[in-house]
Amino acid sequence: MLKQLRTVAAVAMLTVTTYAVAVEMNGTHPDTYVVRKGDTLWDISARFLKKPWLWPEIWQANPQVKNPHLIYPGDVLSLAYLDRVTAQAGPRQEAPITGVPLSDVEPFLRNLNVVDSFEDLPYVVGLEDNRLRASSGQKAYVVGLDAAQPGQRYMVVRPTVRFAQPKPTEDLDSRGKVTPGSGNLWSSYVASSDRKEVLGYELAKVNVGTLTHVASGDVQASTLQLEDSGSEVRRGDRLMPVQINPYDLQFIPHAPATATAPGQLRVLAVTDTFTSGGPRDVIAISGGAREGINNGTVFSVWRNGSHVSDRMHSPGSSRADDALKAGAGRISLPDEYAAHAMVFRTFDKVSYALIMEGTKPARLGYELKHPDAQ
């Protein structure tokens, strides 16, 4: 769980503007709702609207309210009239709720980074007592920290995956090299373009440590005292400085600020599963800050339309019924909606998003479109 959340004393009074007339209201919404611990802004908005990502556009703050996006467990939301939504302040004893369940995305906020390269990062060259693995209370010996100072804290990270096009993911070995053949799993993946591009390398946090001695004289390695009893450190693991709050804790759902070309954004990976995921699963997508994506951006996820053989005109054809691309003798079918996903962690060319709801699994290679796409 993310334990340190900054509380704010502002009382959220939310007013629906005249734009609300054009918004599709959810006919099953209650007249009042008491915000509970564990709620998300998405869940509460879904009680009022058919499109939960539209709520920032219609819930406007009264002039005296600094931040209408902060509502708390115990607040009472009233929707007695279509032209007014109000929030009666609760006890303010809990942290404000956020756009997504933090427990579902915590590992991706705290333990994963995506970088353009990692070869120049400091790395573990040896371990205390020549161990093969080391953990809390033991020492790791590192090269590449000559300019550091004792007392500085570092994350020990391990390269796990390379995100790229046209093969979306390729596993990395202990040296950070691509595992031969791993990209062959995605032979049926439809790349967003014909160009070849590395989108980034995923680095997973293994441990945390404090630098106790810096290389000097005849000693060529610095000493890192390991503190975490979780994963074990091994030779070849890399180091990154510990960052203080490098991520957001408030995720405000909104439509993409920048339009993207058809087929530009696709699902690169589905975490903790093989090729598909459903609500509350995390996906990696082939776009980030470079494409104008930021935290809270909502996309709809679509299965690309199949290209099937026309059996009426070619009943004796032996070709496969479903192809990745259009061609002579094939009929192209429409794309099919699968789910909605909201971005919660953005890097330069890759982002992580949480599947919020859907009608079918979101799979590797599915396309991301505007949340209102039809």
Side-chain angles (χ1 to χ4, degrees), residues 69 76 130-131 287 297 315:
H69 301 146
V76 180
N130 283 335
R131 296 172 181 267
T297 302

Side-chain angles (χ1 to χ4, degrees), residues 133-145:
R133 302 287 188 270
S135 188
S136 177
Q138 297 169 343
K139 298 179 178 64
Y141 303 113
V142 182
V143 295
L145 286 176

Side-chain angles (χ1 to χ4, degrees), residues 38-151:
D39 281 339
T40 68
L41 293 172
W42 183 288
D43 295 335
I44 293 176
S45 300
R47 291 176 177 268
F48 302 149
L49 309 173
K50 292 183 178 180
K51 299 178 180 179
W53 57 92
L54 288 179
W55 75 266
E57 299 181 22
I58 56 174
W59 286 9
Q60 300 293 326
N62 288 334
Q64 72 275 19
V65 179
K66 295 181 179 179
N67 192 340
H69 301 146
L70 295 175
I71 55 178
Y72 297 76
D75 287 356
V76 180
L77 301 181
S78 174
L79 193 66
Y81 305 97
L82 290 182
D83 62 349
R84 184 172 178 80
V85 175
T86 63
Q88 180 180 344
R92 293 298 192 270
Q93 295 175 349
E94 305 274 0
I97 67 173
T98 183
V100 298
L102 292 175
S103 59
D104 288 344
V105 302
E106 175 190 6
F108 303 89
L109 293 172
R110 302 184 61 168
N111 299 336
L112 292 178
N113 284 277
V114 177
V115 298
D116 291 334
S117 64
F118 61 88
E119 289 82 0
D120 294 333
L121 293 176
Y123 61 91
V124 176
V125 71
L127 301 169
E128 184 178 354
D129 296 328
N130 283 335
R131 296 172 181 267
L132 297 178
R133 302 287 188 270
S135 188
S136 177
Q138 297 169 343
K139 298 179 178 64
Y141 303 113
V142 182
V143 295
L145 286 176
D146 299 346
Q149 299 293 324

Side-chain angles (χ1 to χ4, degrees), residues 193-209:
S193 68
D194 293 331
R195 68 180 182 180
K196 296 182 178 180
E197 181 183 19
V198 175
L199 301 177
Y201 296 89
E202 183 183 80
L203 303 181
K205 173 189 161 187
V206 178
N207 213 299
V208 175

Side-chain angles (χ1 to χ4, degrees), residues 161-223:
V161 171
R162 183 177 78 169
F163 296 120
Q165 299 281 22
K167 296 179 180 179
T169 60
E170 294 180 291
D171 295 336
L172 303 180
D173 61 19
S174 60
R175 300 173 301 154
K177 304 299 183 182
V178 172
T179 302
S182 65
N184 295 337
L185 294 171
W186 319 128
S187 59
S188 62
Y189 175 78
V190 180
S192 57
S193 68
D194 293 331
R195 68 180 182 180
K196 296 182 178 180
E197 181 183 19
V198 175
L199 301 177
Y201 296 89
E202 183 183 80
L203 303 181
K205 173 189 161 187
V206 178
N207 213 299
V208 175
T210 299
L211 194 64
T212 58
H213 296 87
V214 179
S216 63
D218 295 334
V219 178
Q220 298 175 301
S222 301
T223 302

